[in-house]
Amino acid sequence: MERLKVSAPGRICLFGEHQDFLGLPVIAAAINLRIWIEGRARNDLTLTIDMPDIGQHDCIELSGEIIYKHKRDYLRSCVNVLRRKGWSLKRGYDCKIYGTIPINAGVSSSSALVIAWLKFLIEAAGLGNQFSPEDLARLGHQAEVLEFGEPGGMMDHFAAALGGVIYVDCQPPFRAERLPVELSGFVLADSLQKKETLGVLAGSKTDVVDGIAKLKELHPNFDLHKTPLSEVESLIGFLPEASALKVKANLINRDITIEAIRLLQGKFEPRKLGELLTRHHEQLRDGIRVSTPKIDCMLQAALEAGVLGGKINGSGGGGCMFVYAPGHECEAAEALERAGGKAYMLTIDQGARVEEESGQ
């Protein structure tokens, strides 16, 4: 293939924030903010990668061993993961990577990049029909998370690879399914506050995992997936404060997510969806403590403008949030920008794809 263009979407996490790495269910949706990769074939085994959005350039020689040059070297980890699957590229490409996803803002820009790059490499090798969207998601998780021993589940990779609104069972070996619902009316807003994803995730995971272990000592039959909060609420008070808050919040958000799954699979009520989103945010703010005063002010401004609900998006500590405002997206965007954010009108989008502009 002489020329190739692919793309993959970012995502919003509707329900289950900070729960995928605990094996609890998640509902996510792919959005129309995407990463694009364009490439033109070369006559050697060199991949050149121009990244104008971040002012960087990279070069990967495919003729030898691929050695990582820096932390989270996803461009090279994708090549290595594919090589272990028996993949090989017969020629190099001059590539350009660009996108509309806010970077490091909780909208899964890194996973979209990984999935788009894997899609590009697979299609360039003529192996597109040998890898399903689910295969692509699993390769992405390997290249981004497992390869570097970092915290994180598969929500982002499933969303970027499969697209649409998905339910993710985050218990190994992981699975995802499309939900039979058409959603619209979401507005994303970047708080323009920088965030440190891995540190927030690691801290959240450590506190809650330690708390769950202690809770099991106090209640040997405790099951994170099934035990009602009412059965263990009195015992949670014996946990360290940070763990107690996060364990309780996760149990509440677990139940909110289950309620949301039933809503999206049954008789859909927009107002109920908005209410559940806001309740989810309250636990992320007060229990897991990953919101910020600015994001809380942005959400409050949007609620006062008439949106049905909203929440922080991603690991937190800054970055993005979104609101659900079907029929009132413009008013919501104006309120969010008055509160200091940068607003994006969202639609639910497809997963990773080859763009029509590609030529042979």
Side-chain angles (χ1 to χ4, degrees), residues 7-11 28-31 33-34 101 108 110-119 122-123 131-141 144 154-166 168 176-178 349-354:
S7 71
R11 65 96 185 97
I31 57 176
L33 303 179
R34 302 180 73 90
I101 304 175
S108 191
S110 62
S111 296
L113 168 63
V114 166
I115 294 297
W117 184 232
L118 286 167
K119 181 71 171 173
I122 289 167
E123 294 290 341
F131 293 86
S132 69
E134 182 176 327
D135 292 333
L136 190 61
R138 295 188 186 281
L139 288 169
H141 184 250
E144 182 178 1
M154 281 194 67
M155 168 180 61
D156 296 352
H157 310 96
F158 277 131
L162 276 65
V165 180
I166 59 171
V168 183
E177 63 181 66
R178 294 283 294 272
D349 209 351
Q350 301 175 16
R353 66 189 181 213
V354 176

Side-chain angles (χ1 to χ4, degrees), residues 144-350:
E144 182 178 1
V145 178
L146 302 182
E147 190 76 1
F148 299 104
E150 294 179 348
M154 281 194 67
M155 168 180 61
D156 296 352
H157 310 96
F158 277 131
L162 276 65
V165 180
I166 59 171
Y167 159 81
V168 183
D169 179 347
C170 296
Q171 296 186 80
F174 309 111
R175 68 179 182 88
E177 63 181 66
R178 294 283 294 272
L179 292 175
V181 63
E182 297 291 332
L183 294 179
S184 62
F186 293 104
V187 180
L188 182 79
D190 188 349
S191 70
L192 306 177
Q193 293 177 310
K194 292 184 178 180
K195 57 194 287 294
E196 204 288 290
T197 301
L198 294 176
V200 174
L201 278 176
S204 174
K205 185 174 182 179
T206 298
D207 286 338
V208 75
V209 168
D210 289 348
I212 290 169
K214 179 64 176 177
L215 193 56
K216 285 182 177 179
E217 293 177 7
L218 300 171
H219 189 297
N221 294 323
F222 174 74
D223 185 331
L224 179 62
H225 299 270
K226 299 177 181 178
T227 303
L229 172 60
S230 59
E231 190 174 310
V232 294
E233 189 163 12
S234 61
L235 298 176
I236 289 175
F238 292 98
L239 305 180
E241 181 182 5
S243 291
L245 286 169
K246 291 177 182 178
V247 168
K248 182 176 181 179
N250 271 292
L251 290 175
I252 293 171
N253 280 341
R254 174 201 66 185
D255 295 340
I256 289 172
T257 301
I258 292 170
E259 190 174 354
I261 292 169
R262 293 172 181 155
L263 175 67
L264 295 173
Q265 290 177 329
K267 183 179 178 182
F268 179 64
E269 301 175 39
R271 190 165 295 279
K272 182 64 174 179
L273 178 63
E275 173 194 330
L276 290 173
L277 288 169
T278 303
R279 284 171 52 196
H280 189 5
H281 175 80
E282 289 168 354
Q283 295 304 317
L284 293 167
R285 178 193 67 204
D286 300 333
I288 301 177
R289 295 182 171 179
V290 292
S291 189
T292 68
K294 183 175 183 181
I295 286 175
D296 293 337
C297 287
M298 290 166 61
L299 178 56
Q300 185 59 39
L303 290 169
E304 291 172 0
V307 308
L308 297 183
K311 60 177 283 291
I312 193 167
N313 190 62
S315 59
C320 287
M321 52 82 71
F322 68 86
V323 296
Y324 180 51
H328 300 280
E329 294 91 337
C330 290
E331 296 95 320
E334 290 171 1
L336 291 166
E337 295 208 334
R338 284 197 301 270
K342 180 179 180 181
Y344 301 81
M345 301 292 194
L346 299 183
T347 57
I348 307 303
D349 209 351
Q350 301 175 16

